[in-house]
Amino acid sequence: MKPEAVYFTVKDGQRMMIAVVNVPSEDKMVAINEPLWLDWNASVTITPAMSLADLQKAGKDMEKLAKERMS
């Protein structure tokens, strides 16, 4: 895993690492998460996020969905 950023903190009394990772496709999440589970017995939470460029690409779909719901 080559994260873009890594942060260490505490949540609910447990040590926590937040890693920002660019995953090219969903199937690559297995290669990222399995070592964390198997080697560290870690609890892993995945939160998808988009860049501004990703959001702009989705703009047409978002516009279409909004119009459908307004009619």
Side-chain angles (χ1 to χ4, degrees):
M1 166 174 42
K2 294 182 181 182
E4 296 176 29
V6 178
Y7 303 94
F8 297 92
T9 187
V10 175
K11 181 178 179 184
D12 300 327
Q14 298 291 314
R15 284 177 258 167
M16 182 172 137
M17 176 182 82
I18 300 168
V20 179
V21 182
N22 185 8
V23 181
S25 63
E26 291 82 3
D27 62 303
K28 299 300 181 196
M29 288 189 288
V30 173
I32 293 170
N33 294 322
E34 282 296 323
L36 299 172
W37 290 321
L38 296 173
D39 297 344
W40 295 350
N41 195 31
S43 174
V44 177
T45 302
I46 300 168
T47 305
M50 291 189 285
S51 67
L52 179 56
D54 294 332
L55 190 58
Q56 288 170 332
K57 285 183 203 173
K60 291 179 185 176
D61 291 333
M62 291 171 50
E63 208 173 304
K64 179 182 172 192
L65 290 168
K67 285 180 183 177
E68 288 173 357
R69 281 156 178 73
M70 294 176 104
S71 29

